[in-house]
């Protein structure tokens, strides 16, 4: 006798599977809806930030530094656009095209190959700008960085009294022409400036602005600015003017997230910059202007300077050229460019780069080789 059994499916099984499938689809739809909403919100925010960076011309330091910080944040547009394309969010993808093109147009020129042609017999000069952090006890390291750079002219900011004694002696053999104005100070209030040169220095002038009201230590007082310096170099018989400047820090960074802003410090920064713009723009000789400008390329002052001078790094550098804060100084990597080499149309920049060693200074040095193509 053969017994045949037939497997019977539980009557509730198809209904349960159907319910699970519907629930899963509902969750996926809900997730996509939320994700689309988040992407739309993100898109509106980044479009607003792009327009803010493009349009805003507020000459207030914390606003200008905010724009500086916005730019690297906008790099998130690229993966966001990729995600929108993968999920086939057509309108979000189209809306993200504007901030994507904006961020590409800002960053790509920093990484394009650059070529500058000059006459083969054009005299050349290599200039190094270095904020050495006035209270640094690493004088030997700083001197070695300068010597290894091979620069013809070295302009230093925050030149303290003690470190000047060591540097002037250590550099004397390679840089016999020295115009130094050391000053005592504390924290970032070292106002000394100095120029060490292989080529003759025929004029030297150092000054501070002493009419800026600053709130310090619980009271108002007339506080002297950082130092500024003008020297005239003899480059193969041609006089070349070099300005070595250190603009007042419009925002003070105490390490970590400790940032403080003061309206009058902001005023001291912009007013000194304006006075220097008025002075340097009157120069008729070939002009090189270097230093710690305590500003990014989003500052109005940067636009004022580049209206008549060329940013050497933009002309011949590769990458972002960030100089501050130097690696190993507090928890942040280098995030912005505060140190510059500008030059007049009498010169062309052949190569500009940021050196990778700061010798414990909070700034990386920037070095530029310039060719003299026109006489003053």
């Amino acid at each position: 006798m053969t017994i045949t059994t037939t497997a019977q499916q539980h009557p509730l099984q198809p209904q349960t599977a159907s319910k699970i499938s519907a629930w899963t689809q509902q969750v996926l739809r809900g997730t996509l809806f939320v994700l689309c909403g988040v992407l739309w919100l993100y898109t509106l925010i980044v479009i607003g930030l792009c327009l803010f960076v493009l349009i805003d011309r507020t000459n207030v330091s914390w606003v200008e530094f905010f724009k500086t910080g916005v730019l690297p944040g906008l790099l998130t547009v690229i993966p966001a656009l990729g995600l929108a394309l993968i999920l086939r969010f057509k309108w979000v993808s189209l809306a993200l095209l504007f901030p994507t093109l904006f961020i590409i147009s800002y960053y790509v020129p920093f990484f394009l190959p650059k070529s500058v042609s000059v006459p083969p017999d054009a005299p050349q000069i290599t200039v190094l700008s270095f904020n050495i952090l006035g209270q640094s006890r690493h004088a030997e390291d700083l001197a070695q960085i300068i010597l290894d750079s091979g620069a013809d002219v070295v302009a230093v900011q925050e030149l303290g009294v003690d470190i000047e004694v060591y540097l002037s002696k250590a550099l004397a053999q390679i840089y016999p022409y020295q115009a130094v104005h050391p000053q005592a100070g504390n924290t970032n209030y070292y106002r000394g400036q100095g120029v060490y040169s292989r080529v003759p220095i025929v004029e030297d002038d150092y000054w501070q602005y002493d009419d800026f009201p600053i709130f310090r230590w619980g009271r108002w007082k007339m506080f002297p600015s950082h130092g500024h310096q003008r020297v005239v170099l003899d480059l193969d018989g041609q006089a070349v003017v070099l300005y070595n400047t250190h603009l007042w820090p419009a925002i003070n960074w105490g390490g970590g997230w400790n940032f403080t802003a003061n309206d009058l410090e902001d005023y001291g920064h912009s007013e000194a910059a304006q006075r220097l713009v008025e002075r340097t723009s009157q120069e008729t000789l070939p002009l090189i202007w270097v230093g710690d400008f305590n500003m990014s390329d989003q500052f109005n002052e940067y636009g004022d300077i580049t209206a008549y001078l060329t940013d050497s790094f933009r002309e011949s550098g590769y990458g972002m050229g960030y100089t501050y804060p130097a690696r190993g100084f507090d928890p942040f990597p280098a995030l912005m460019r505060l140190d510059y080499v500008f030059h007049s149309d009498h010169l062309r920049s052949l190569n500009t780069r940021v050196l990778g060693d700061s010798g414990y200074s909070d700034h990386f040095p920037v070095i530029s080789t310039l060719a003299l193509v026109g006489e003053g």
Side-chain angles (χ1 to χ4, degrees):
M1 182 176 179
T2 304
I3 299 175
T4 304
T5 60
T6 303
Q8 293 184 353
Q9 191 173 27
H10 194 284
L12 295 178
Q13 188 173 343
Q15 185 178 357
T16 303
S18 176
K19 284 183 177 180
I20 293 173
S21 176
W23 179 82
T24 302
Q25 291 178 17
Q26 187 176 4
V27 170
L28 287 175
R29 289 194 190 98
T31 302
L32 288 175
F33 179 79
V34 171
L35 191 56
C36 184
V38 171
L39 281 174
W40 265 118
L41 178 62
Y42 168 84
T43 301
L44 293 174
I45 291 173
V46 296
I47 288 176
L49 289 173
C50 289
L51 292 173
F52 171 67
V53 172
L54 281 171
I55 297 171
D56 177 75
R57 291 297 178 267
T58 304
N59 192 17
V60 176
S61 60
W62 71 264
V63 176
E64 293 162 321
F65 275 126
F66 174 73
K67 289 192 291 184
T68 305
V70 162
L71 286 165
L74 288 176
L75 289 171
T76 57
V77 165
I78 297 173
L81 176 60
L83 179 61
L85 290 171
I86 291 172
L87 296 175
R88 299 183 180 180
F89 294 164
K90 181 175 70 172
W91 295 112
V92 176
S93 301
L94 288 173
L96 282 172
L97 284 178
F98 165 66
T100 300
L101 292 174
F102 170 78
I103 205 67
I104 288 174
S105 67
Y106 176 78
Y107 278 102
V108 166
F110 285 97
F111 296 92
L112 291 176
K114 301 175 179 70
S115 178
V116 180
S117 59
V118 298
D121 58 345
Q124 296 184 14
I125 186 169
T126 300
V127 179
L128 176 77
S129 179
F130 195 3
N131 181 325
I132 60 174
L133 189 65
Q135 76 269 32
S136 176
R137 297 184 178 89
H138 298 254
E140 293 183 10
D141 295 334
L142 297 172
Q144 197 60 51
I145 291 170
I146 292 171
L147 292 170
D148 291 343
S149 73
D152 298 310
V153 180
V154 178
V156 298
Q157 302 88 43
E158 293 194 25
L159 184 62
V161 174
D162 294 336
I163 201 169
E164 182 275 322
V165 174
Y166 180 88
L167 287 180
S168 294
K169 183 178 180 180
L171 302 177
Q173 184 174 357
I174 304 300
Y175 299 98
Y177 304 100
Q178 302 183 356
V180 294
H181 305 274
Q183 288 202 27
N186 58 77
T187 62
N188 68 338
Y189 303 111
Y190 282 82
R191 300 175 180 82
Q193 302 282 92
V195 173
Y196 298 92
S197 178
R198 299 174 190 259
V199 301
I201 298 174
V202 296
E203 292 182 26
D204 173 38
D205 183 24
Y206 169 89
W207 70 96
Q208 295 172 253
Y209 300 115
D210 57 4
D211 57 343
F212 297 159
I214 300 293
F215 187 74
R216 273 288 177 270
W217 301 295
R219 61 191 180 95
W220 297 100
K221 64 180 297 185
M222 303 305 287
F223 212 66
S225 73
H226 286 322
H228 305 285
Q229 185 178 15
R230 177 188 184 271
V231 300
V232 178
L233 306 167
D234 181 358
L235 180 61
D236 294 343
Q238 168 65 50
V240 176
V241 175
L242 173 76
Y243 277 77
N244 176 24
T245 195
H246 186 190
L247 291 181
W248 189 267
I251 287 184
N252 289 310
W253 179 38
W257 297 100
N258 180 19
F259 294 92
T260 58
N262 183 301
D263 289 343
L264 289 174
E265 290 178 337
D266 193 14
Y267 166 78
H269 177 277
S270 59
E271 178 65 18
Q274 185 57 44
R275 294 183 189 185
L276 287 164
V277 164
E278 292 174 0
R279 178 167 177 167
T280 56
S281 62
Q282 300 303 312
E283 295 283 357
T284 57
L285 292 171
L287 171 66
I288 305 170
W289 189 4
V290 307
D292 171 11
F293 287 76
N294 276 310
M295 67 181 184
S296 74
D297 61 359
Q298 296 304 304
F299 273 57
N300 286 4
E301 289 82 2
Y302 178 87
D304 294 339
I305 294 171
T306 53
Y308 66 100
L309 296 178
T310 299
D311 180 345
S312 295
F313 190 87
R314 286 288 183 92
E315 185 178 28
S316 64
Y318 180 82
M320 298 309 300
Y322 292 149
T323 64
Y324 183 87
R327 289 190 295 270
F329 191 83
D330 281 319
F332 291 100
L335 297 171
M336 63 186 71
R337 218 164 35 116
L338 300 183
D339 305 84
Y340 298 85
V341 177
F342 298 107
H343 65 80
S344 65
D345 290 340
H346 303 87
L347 300 125
R348 296 288 183 274
S349 171
L350 303 178
N351 180 271
T352 305
R353 58 195 174 92
V354 176
L355 301 186
D357 190 358
S358 68
Y360 193 72
S361 172
D362 52 342
H363 290 252
F364 285 117
V366 58
I367 186 170
S368 182
T369 297
L370 305 165
L372 182 62
V373 297
E375 296 184 356

